[in-house]
Every structure is written in structure tokens, then in C-alpha cells.
Amino acid sequence: MLFKHSIILCFLTSVFGVSIKTEPHKPRVCVIGAGIAGLNSAYYLKEAGLNFTVLEGTQYVGGTWRYDPRVGTDEFGVPIHTSMYKHLRTNLPKQTMQLSGFPMPDDYRSFETWKRFYEYLKSYAKKFDLEKYMKFNHLVESVKREENSWKVKSKNLKTGEYVMDDCDFVFVGTGHHHTPNMPNFPGEELFNGTIIHSHDFRDTVPFEGRRVLVVGRGPSGLDISVDIAYVSKKLVHSHHSKTKVGTPFPDNFVEKPDVARFTENGAYFTDGSFEELDDVVYCTGFKTALPFLDESSGLTMGSRYVYPLHHYMVNINQPTMVLLGFVELACTVTTIGAQARYAVALATGNFTLPSKEDMMAKWQARADSIKEKGRPMSDILVIGEKENEYYEDISNESGTYKIPPVIYSMRDVDQQSMMENWYTFREYEYQLIDDHTFSRCLQDPNSKTPCVQKIHGQ
């Protein structure tokens, strides 16, 4: 019948000049993951009126922000995705962590607990009725490019059945903070104590009264070191960071250079010193793991990077695939929101990408710059001090809303506060004034007297 109708329509058009209006094709989008990237994408895709589905491997929204006391695998034998630990508080002001169209409540502090932030994410999904677009317990196992479309195969973990979605665009929102990057120091197999990665760190209780080594001084390395130091007999912090930290660490806190090798009861360090140890926590970052992608994606995977990406997100070889949140040293939640707007504008056809040659040339220039500086290829994901420039670039190209400069300014000041004193930087309260300025004050948690505001950015 459809074939006959097509013949009739063609006949009417050619013979009688009848104008037949047809609906323009609306692309179908598959979003992988219901964390911050998935929630932001769903918000904008719904707003644009596009056909989309969010595939989530667990039964929850929130991604890595959902605390799960378990480690290892879940009830379906799937690796636990979240790296959340019990006492975590955010390390960026709340104004830099708000999702599109939904400010955090006024009673939220500038630096909230994971629990309150997770409640905020659930409220976001509920307010905009986003869960109806989501397939929970659907673990994506394969994404292939075939016949000008994406074939996305997921497994319903409850029934064991496989589902195939045919999509015009794929938004990958799984992030890159879920698969541990484990170092390999000599003598590890001899060590009689416990060794875990920060991905499996949940609470300080197992470390009470023990001698603990924490390796790595990124945000989680400092956070976990300080957390464990409260309860441990001794906290040994091994790192090679050259950034000076003004934090007045307690007497049981000892800093060491890189680990040289382990023994049965401890570790030697590159300065020749030795420490007796009971436990080790590696805060050594995460690998970039996208096991569902095959070679048809056109992406190259390194241990801690993926390329080539235009603006840190568009797959240059297959530009109907966008990776959201694959960035370092940025206001990640804000960045993901900006990327989601860009991705939806791309899927809607509101703008045209530069040529493949131009995109590749720009990416190659960045890669060459990293190599010339002697930096690892993982720096290809670092935005850093170019955050404002990045927001301006993607806004100008896509015609979407530009993040105001004040957001980066808040992050910059916050980073300085971290280095000055890790114990107190979360006691600052921030207030937005306009697109360029904000105020903050150091609030004594034991005082009811308002602190004096200092203006930044004038």
C-alpha cells in the first residue's frame, strides 16, 4: 500500500501540479549513559523536539555521582561504574555545577555533599520528565557504523534480551572516570597488605589505626589523603607534583616522592627512604574505556585519551558521533552543558561543521603542540586556562548560548584556594554578581555572623 501511495503522490505532483508538503526528517539520537551528560542531552533533545533514547546500564540516573557501597561488580555481574566515596563534597562552587534551566536551591552551600548534589540530579530528571526517554538496565555492548547509520546494540540486563537501535546520531555520555588506571611498581606481588584504586575507596573505616600509602596528588589524591589522615596511624603521600600546597597537614602526614619498589611490609621511594605500610590506595586516574566502539567509529583509543575529536567532542572521522565530558581541568558540569547544546544544535542541523580537513588540521596543531612540549598524549583532553576561549569557540560555531567568563574566573580562584589550604577551601561561599564578577567570603562553620564579601573580577 505504501508503494501505491507513493506512485499516486508522484502522479498528482507531475500531472496536476499538486504541491505535497512532507515533514522534514527528524534525526533519531541514541544517548549512552544517564549521568550528567545524559541528563543535559535529554533536556536539550526534548526541547528541540527530536526523537531520542537514553540507554543506561544501571537502574539509576546520576552516573558516577550516585554513591554505591559495593565495589567490584553489581547484581548482574557488570563492573560498578561509580567512584563516589562516602564523605565526598564537591570541589567547585555550585554555580559552576548547575544543569541547564535548573538552578540549585538557595539553601545549598557553595560546596555540597555528594548526597545533596545527587538529590539535585534526581530532581532535575523529575522536573523535566526525562526518565520516560530512558531505558534503564540496558547495557550498551556494541556501536557500529553501517549503511549510513549507527547500529547500537544493548542488553536488557533483567531479561537477557538484546535490543538493536538504529540511530542517525550517537551521543556518548559515559565519561572517563570509571575504569581504574593501575600503576605497576616492582615488587607489588610481594606486598602483604591491601592495594586498591580510588575507584574502590568508599570509607575511612578500614584504615583506622593503620599505616596507609596514598599514591597521586590530583584532587582525589589530596581528598582521600586528608580523609584517611584523620583516622590512620600514619599517612604517607607519594607524588611528583611540583605545585606547592600550603595546607598545614597533621603530624602523622608524611610526603614522599615516587614509589621505587614494594617489599613484603612496605615500600622504598626514589629518594632511598623506606616506610612500613599496611595499605595502599592508588589515586592514579582512570583509563579511557569505550569497549562498545569498534573500528567503524574511526576513533583511536589510548590508555588515557581518545582522538581525533573536534572541540574535544565531535568524532572527526564520523561526525554524527559526539563524546560528551571527555575533558580534563575544566568546570566539567558546565562544559558538558555547553557541549550538549552544541551536539543538539548539530543534530538538529542548525549549523554546519567545518570541513574534515579543517577540523583535522586544528586537532593536529594541538597534538603537535603537546608533543613539542614533551607532554603525554593524554593532555589532548586538557582544556585548562583556555576554558573561556573554548566556550567562545563552540558558541560561535554553533550559535548556542555562551558560558559567561565569570564561571572560569570562579574555577581559577577556587583552584588557588585549594592549594592554599585543602582543609578550608570548601568553607568559602560564592555569589554571582554578573557575567564577569562574583563575590566570596570565608565562612566560619561555627559562627552565625555573616562573613565579609570580597569582590572578584572587577
Side-chain angles (χ1 to χ4, degrees), residues 178-252:
H178 50 80
T179 302
N181 176 54
M182 297 291 285
N184 184 21
F185 293 111
E188 270 187 7
E189 72 282 358
L190 302 174
F191 184 59
N192 291 323
T194 63
I195 298 178
I196 67 169
H197 189 273
S198 61
H199 175 68
D200 292 333
F201 174 77
R202 294 293 184 267
D203 199 353
T204 60
V205 172
F207 306 102
E208 291 180 359
R210 295 172 72 82
R211 299 162 300 185
V212 185
L213 168 66
V214 173
V215 179
R217 208 184 75 171
S220 64
L222 274 167
D223 237 10
I224 291 173
S225 294
V226 168
D227 213 8
I228 294 178
Y230 282 117
V231 302
S232 62
K233 180 180 180 180
K234 191 173 192 179
L235 192 290
V236 181
H237 192 190
S238 167
H239 64 86
H240 51 253
S241 174
K242 296 179 181 178
T243 304
K244 293 183 178 180
V245 176
T247 301
F249 295 115
D251 293 339
N252 69 334

Side-chain angles (χ1 to χ4, degrees), residues 235-293:
L235 192 290
V236 181
H237 192 190
S238 167
H239 64 86
H240 51 253
S241 174
K242 296 179 181 178
T243 304
K244 293 183 178 180
V245 176
T247 301
F249 295 115
D251 293 339
N252 69 334
F253 195 107
V254 178
E255 290 194 85
K256 292 288 182 180
D258 288 341
V259 173
R261 62 185 176 90
F262 283 97
T263 66
E264 292 88 345
N265 64 338
Y268 283 96
F269 300 88
T270 54
D271 62 355
S273 62
F274 176 81
E275 291 286 346
E276 291 187 346
L277 303 168
D278 300 305
D279 307 289
V280 178
V281 182
Y282 286 143
C283 298
T284 47
F286 296 86
K287 295 180 179 179
T288 299
L290 298 169
F292 45 81
L293 296 185

Side-chain angles (χ1 to χ4, degrees), residues 27 50 169 171 310-311 313-315 319-322 324 338-355 359 390 392-401:
L50 296 186
F169 281 81
F171 294 177
H310 177 56
H311 289 320
M313 57 175 159
V314 178
N315 179 350
T320 52
M321 173 179 283
V322 182
L324 304 173
Q339 290 180 333
R341 283 192 293 275
Y342 178 104
V344 173
L346 177 63
T348 309
N350 289 352
F351 74 99
T352 302
L353 288 169
S355 68
M359 291 191 290
Y390 176 67
E392 186 169 357
D393 284 349
I394 64 174
S395 173
N396 289 341
E397 188 170 291
S398 63
T400 56
Y401 165 73

